[in-house]
Amino acid sequence: MNIIDIGTIIALIVLVLLGFVLGFGRSLRVFTKGVVGVIISVFVCASFGGMIIGIDVVGEKLAELNAFFTSKAEFLGTIHLETVVFYIVMFLVVQILRIITVKFISGIFEADNAVMKGVNKFLGMIFVPAIMCLFLLLVFAVFALFEDTTFVANMLNDMEGTFLLKLYQNNPIVLTV
């Protein structure tokens, strides 16, 4: 065991303690606020938008909207303004639903009774390290895109024989360019 593995274990312990202190409800709110919340909403829109547009009723309404925009100005039909409007509306709906869902879930887990307080603390101890591990996997996936650079090569060389290198090599997240 080397210094990187010891640092990894210490970081994991700190994250577990942070999860215990924050609890699941508060850590869920923290991780879904701001830029991360917007990224989550964009991801949901990108993942499900095409499927929703593929629904016959929605597709027909968008075609009607495109015809309306085209009748006003040919340019608006060319740039498919109806799709832009669709995704803007979908993003706003997803943002509102995300906020309501997070408030509802965190409210349940932060209920003022002994059982829910214990469950909240326990799930926080799992949730915070899991989210940070996911973030680390995303960072490793980005690094994998630049493996031929000196920075990443040196980093991998420094991680030789560590748990983090095994995690890097077996990363389930693969980004392609």
Side-chain angles (χ1 to χ4, degrees), residues 64-78 81:
E64 291 173 13
L65 191 57
N66 189 36
F68 171 76
F69 286 142
T70 303
S71 71
K72 299 298 178 189
E74 185 81 24
F75 171 72
L76 297 177
T78 304
L81 185 60

Side-chain angles (χ1 to χ4, degrees), residues 16 21 35 38 44 69-70 73 84 87 93 100 108 111 120 127 132 138 140 142 150 152 169-172:
V16 168
V21 170
V35 173
V38 171
V44 169
F69 286 142
T70 303
V84 174
Y87 277 105
V93 168
I100 291 170
I108 290 172
N120 187 34
F127 181 70
M132 294 311 291
L138 286 170
F140 280 172
V142 170
T150 306
V152 175
Q169 292 168 338
N170 298 297
N171 191 350

Side-chain angles (χ1 to χ4, degrees), residues 12-169:
L12 182 62
I13 291 169
V14 167
L15 290 173
V16 168
L17 291 174
L18 181 64
F20 178 79
V21 170
L22 290 177
F24 178 72
R26 191 183 309 163
S27 59
L28 180 66
R29 284 196 317 269
V30 166
F31 283 115
T32 58
K33 271 188 176 177
V35 173
V36 176
V38 171
I39 291 170
I40 291 168
S41 295
V42 167
F43 176 77
V44 169
C45 290
S47 298
F48 297 106
M51 181 176 61
I52 293 171
I53 288 176
I55 297 172
D56 291 336
V57 175
V58 175
E60 291 168 7
K61 292 297 179 189
L62 288 176
E64 291 173 13
L65 191 57
N66 189 36
F68 171 76
F69 286 142
T70 303
S71 71
K72 299 298 178 189
E74 185 81 24
F75 171 72
L76 297 177
T78 304
I79 63 169
H80 294 284
L81 185 60
E82 81 286 355
T83 305
V84 174
V85 170
F86 169 78
Y87 277 105
I88 289 172
V89 169
M90 184 178 176
F91 175 77
L92 293 174
V93 168
V94 168
Q95 281 281 81
I96 292 168
L97 289 175
R98 178 187 55 80
I99 292 167
I100 291 170
T101 304
V102 167
K103 284 188 184 275
F104 178 74
I105 291 172
S106 66
I108 290 172
F109 283 97
E110 292 177 337
D112 194 19
N113 69 49
V115 173
M116 285 312 291
K117 284 183 180 182
V119 170
N120 187 34
K121 297 291 185 184
F122 176 74
L123 288 178
M125 291 170 54
I126 295 170
F127 181 70
V128 172
I131 289 295
M132 294 311 291
C133 183
L134 177 62
F135 178 71
L136 179 64
L137 290 173
L138 286 170
V139 169
F140 280 172
V142 170
F143 282 177
L145 294 173
F146 302 100
E147 272 188 335
D148 55 344
T149 65
T150 306
F151 172 76
V152 175
N154 288 341
M155 181 194 68
L156 294 175
N157 192 29
D158 292 342
M159 290 189 329
E160 191 66 39
T162 65
F163 169 75
L164 289 179
L165 183 63
K166 287 184 179 28
L167 189 64
Y168 177 85
Q169 292 168 338

